[in-house]
PDB file of all heavy atoms in Angstrom:
ATOM      1  N   GLU A 147     106.295 -92.664 274.647  1.00 85.00           N
ATOM      2  CA  GLU A 147     105.338 -93.109 275.598  1.00 85.00           C
ATOM      3  C   GLU A 147     104.748 -91.887 276.374  1.00 85.00           C
ATOM      4  O   GLU A 147     103.556 -91.764 276.526  1.00 85.00           O
ATOM      5  CB  GLU A 147     105.957 -94.074 276.619  1.00 85.00           C
ATOM      6  CG  GLU A 147     106.213 -95.458 275.969  1.00 85.00           C
ATOM      7  CD  GLU A 147     106.877 -96.375 277.061  1.00 85.00           C
ATOM      8  OE1 GLU A 147     107.142 -95.981 278.190  1.00 85.00           O
ATOM      9  OE2 GLU A 147     107.177 -97.611 276.604  1.00 85.00           O
ATOM     10  N   SER A 148     105.658 -90.976 276.715  1.00 82.00           N
ATOM     11  CA  SER A 148     105.189 -89.825 277.426  1.00 82.00           C
ATOM     12  C   SER A 148     104.332 -88.930 276.620  1.00 82.00           C
ATOM     13  O   SER A 148     103.406 -88.327 277.021  1.00 82.00           O
ATOM     14  CB  SER A 148     106.406 -89.037 277.957  1.00 82.00           C
ATOM     15  OG  SER A 148     106.076 -87.802 278.628  1.00 82.00           O
ATOM     16  N   PHE A 149     104.722 -88.802 275.278  1.00 88.00           N
ATOM     17  CA  PHE A 149     103.951 -88.009 274.302  1.00 88.00           C
ATOM     18  C   PHE A 149     102.525 -88.557 274.217  1.00 88.00           C
ATOM     19  O   PHE A 149     101.587 -87.789 274.224  1.00 88.00           O
ATOM     20  CB  PHE A 149     104.622 -88.032 272.945  1.00 88.00           C
ATOM     21  CG  PHE A 149     103.917 -87.244 271.952  1.00 88.00           C
ATOM     22  CD1 PHE A 149     104.175 -85.924 271.723  1.00 88.00           C
ATOM     23  CD2 PHE A 149     103.011 -87.905 271.109  1.00 88.00           C
ATOM     24  CE1 PHE A 149     103.506 -85.194 270.795  1.00 88.00           C
ATOM     25  CE2 PHE A 149     102.272 -87.109 270.121  1.00 88.00           C
ATOM     26  CZ  PHE A 149     102.575 -85.849 269.908  1.00 88.00           C
ATOM     27  N   VAL A 150     102.380 -89.890 274.097  1.00 90.00           N
ATOM     28  CA  VAL A 150     101.019 -90.500 273.909  1.00 90.00           C
ATOM     29  C   VAL A 150     100.193 -90.233 275.230  1.00 90.00           C
ATOM     30  O   VAL A 150      99.124 -89.885 275.116  1.00 90.00           O
ATOM     31  CB  VAL A 150     101.219 -91.961 273.622  1.00 90.00           C
ATOM     32  CG1 VAL A 150      99.764 -92.647 273.664  1.00 90.00           C
ATOM     33  CG2 VAL A 150     101.848 -92.188 272.291  1.00 90.00           C
ATOM     34  N   VAL A 151     100.759 -90.546 276.365  1.00 86.00           N
ATOM     35  CA  VAL A 151     100.073 -90.333 277.609  1.00 86.00           C
ATOM     36  C   VAL A 151      99.614 -88.896 277.803  1.00 86.00           C
ATOM     37  O   VAL A 151      98.486 -88.579 278.143  1.00 86.00           O
ATOM     38  CB  VAL A 151     100.897 -90.807 278.808  1.00 86.00           C
ATOM     39  CG1 VAL A 151     100.211 -90.465 280.146  1.00 86.00           C
ATOM     40  CG2 VAL A 151     101.140 -92.292 278.703  1.00 86.00           C
ATOM     41  N   THR A 152     100.557 -87.898 277.538  1.00 86.00           N
ATOM     42  CA  THR A 152     100.233 -86.550 277.675  1.00 86.00           C
ATOM     43  C   THR A 152      99.125 -86.141 276.661  1.00 86.00           C
ATOM     44  O   THR A 152      98.268 -85.335 276.992  1.00 86.00           O
ATOM     45  CB  THR A 152     101.478 -85.684 277.487  1.00 86.00           C
ATOM     46  OG1 THR A 152     102.514 -86.098 278.273  1.00 86.00           O
ATOM     47  CG2 THR A 152     101.134 -84.240 277.788  1.00 86.00           C
ATOM     48  N   LEU A 153      99.231 -86.636 275.438  1.00 90.00           N
ATOM     49  CA  LEU A 153      98.233 -86.322 274.467  1.00 90.00           C
ATOM     50  C   LEU A 153      96.860 -86.809 274.838  1.00 90.00           C
ATOM     51  O   LEU A 153      95.878 -86.019 274.682  1.00 90.00           O
ATOM     52  CB  LEU A 153      98.694 -86.953 273.094  1.00 90.00           C
ATOM     53  CG  LEU A 153      97.633 -86.709 271.936  1.00 90.00           C
ATOM     54  CD1 LEU A 153      97.602 -85.147 271.607  1.00 90.00           C
ATOM     55  CD2 LEU A 153      98.141 -87.432 270.719  1.00 90.00           C
ATOM     56  N   ILE A 154      96.774 -87.967 275.398  1.00 92.00           N
ATOM     57  CA  ILE A 154      95.480 -88.507 275.802  1.00 92.00           C
ATOM     58  C   ILE A 154      94.927 -87.656 276.880  1.00 92.00           C
ATOM     59  O   ILE A 154      93.717 -87.338 276.919  1.00 92.00           O
ATOM     60  CB  ILE A 154      95.579 -89.967 276.232  1.00 92.00           C
ATOM     61  CG1 ILE A 154      95.952 -90.892 275.015  1.00 92.00           C
ATOM     62  CG2 ILE A 154      94.309 -90.525 276.900  1.00 92.00           C
ATOM     63  CD1 ILE A 154      96.279 -92.267 275.384  1.00 92.00           C
ATOM     64  N   SER A 155      95.753 -87.255 277.873  1.00 87.00           N
ATOM     65  CA  SER A 155      95.258 -86.478 278.967  1.00 87.00           C
ATOM     66  C   SER A 155      94.835 -85.130 278.536  1.00 87.00           C
ATOM     67  O   SER A 155      93.826 -84.528 279.032  1.00 87.00           O
ATOM     68  CB  SER A 155      96.456 -86.317 280.016  1.00 87.00           C
ATOM     69  OG  SER A 155      97.524 -85.591 279.503  1.00 87.00           O
ATOM     70  N   PHE A 156      95.512 -84.502 277.577  1.00 88.00           N
ATOM     71  CA  PHE A 156      95.085 -83.201 277.004  1.00 88.00           C
ATOM     72  C   PHE A 156      93.775 -83.328 276.249  1.00 88.00           C
ATOM     73  O   PHE A 156      92.902 -82.457 276.433  1.00 88.00           O
ATOM     74  CB  PHE A 156      96.201 -82.643 276.137  1.00 88.00           C
ATOM     75  CG  PHE A 156      97.155 -81.727 276.788  1.00 88.00           C
ATOM     76  CD1 PHE A 156      98.035 -82.245 277.739  1.00 88.00           C
ATOM     77  CD2 PHE A 156      97.233 -80.365 276.418  1.00 88.00           C
ATOM     78  CE1 PHE A 156      98.943 -81.415 278.390  1.00 88.00           C
ATOM     79  CE2 PHE A 156      98.099 -79.569 277.057  1.00 88.00           C
ATOM     80  CZ  PHE A 156      98.972 -80.051 278.020  1.00 88.00           C
ATOM     81  N   LEU A 157      93.561 -84.336 275.546  1.00 91.00           N
ATOM     82  CA  LEU A 157      92.271 -84.529 274.820  1.00 91.00           C
ATOM     83  C   LEU A 157      91.182 -84.691 275.867  1.00 91.00           C
ATOM     84  O   LEU A 157      90.069 -84.217 275.641  1.00 91.00           O
ATOM     85  CB  LEU A 157      92.414 -85.754 273.925  1.00 91.00           C
ATOM     86  CG  LEU A 157      93.316 -85.604 272.675  1.00 91.00           C
ATOM     87  CD1 LEU A 157      93.375 -87.025 271.920  1.00 91.00           C
ATOM     88  CD2 LEU A 157      92.905 -84.524 271.807  1.00 91.00           C
ATOM     89  N   ILE A 158      91.445 -85.507 276.908  1.00 92.00           N
ATOM     90  CA  ILE A 158      90.379 -85.671 277.935  1.00 92.00           C
ATOM     91  C   ILE A 158      90.074 -84.294 278.609  1.00 92.00           C
ATOM     92  O   ILE A 158      88.847 -84.019 278.869  1.00 92.00           O
ATOM     93  CB  ILE A 158      90.775 -86.718 278.984  1.00 92.00           C
ATOM     94  CG1 ILE A 158      90.851 -88.050 278.329  1.00 92.00           C
ATOM     95  CG2 ILE A 158      89.857 -86.702 280.183  1.00 92.00           C
ATOM     96  CD1 ILE A 158      91.523 -89.092 279.244  1.00 92.00           C
ATOM     97  N   SER A 159      91.057 -83.467 278.855  1.00 86.00           N
ATOM     98  CA  SER A 159      90.820 -82.195 279.453  1.00 86.00           C
ATOM     99  C   SER A 159      90.033 -81.277 278.604  1.00 86.00           C
ATOM    100  O   SER A 159      89.218 -80.496 279.056  1.00 86.00           O
ATOM    101  CB  SER A 159      92.163 -81.616 279.801  1.00 86.00           C
ATOM    102  OG  SER A 159      92.932 -81.230 278.623  1.00 86.00           O
ATOM    103  N   PHE A 160      90.293 -81.280 277.235  1.00 84.00           N
ATOM    104  CA  PHE A 160      89.505 -80.571 276.317  1.00 84.00           C
ATOM    105  C   PHE A 160      88.076 -81.033 276.266  1.00 84.00           C
ATOM    106  O   PHE A 160      87.112 -80.133 276.287  1.00 84.00           O
ATOM    107  CB  PHE A 160      90.114 -80.670 274.864  1.00 84.00           C
ATOM    108  CG  PHE A 160      91.171 -79.684 274.635  1.00 84.00           C
ATOM    109  CD1 PHE A 160      92.431 -79.947 274.678  1.00 84.00           C
ATOM    110  CD2 PHE A 160      90.752 -78.320 274.288  1.00 84.00           C
ATOM    111  CE1 PHE A 160      93.427 -79.008 274.447  1.00 84.00           C
ATOM    112  CE2 PHE A 160      91.777 -77.384 273.940  1.00 84.00           C
ATOM    113  CZ  PHE A 160      93.111 -77.739 274.108  1.00 84.00           C
ATOM    114  N   VAL A 161      87.791 -82.254 276.330  1.00 88.00           N
ATOM    115  CA  VAL A 161      86.421 -82.734 276.413  1.00 88.00           C
ATOM    116  C   VAL A 161      85.714 -82.291 277.679  1.00 88.00           C
ATOM    117  O   VAL A 161      84.572 -81.857 277.669  1.00 88.00           O
ATOM    118  CB  VAL A 161      86.359 -84.266 276.287  1.00 88.00           C
ATOM    119  CG1 VAL A 161      84.996 -84.884 276.504  1.00 88.00           C
ATOM    120  CG2 VAL A 161      86.922 -84.769 274.981  1.00 88.00           C
TER     121      VAL A 161
END
Side-chain angles (χ1 to χ4, degrees):
E147 290 180 359
S148 178
F149 179 89
V150 172
V151 172
T152 307
L153 179 62
I154 294 174
S155 65
F156 267 66
L157 293 177
I158 293 175
S159 66
F160 271 98
V161 172

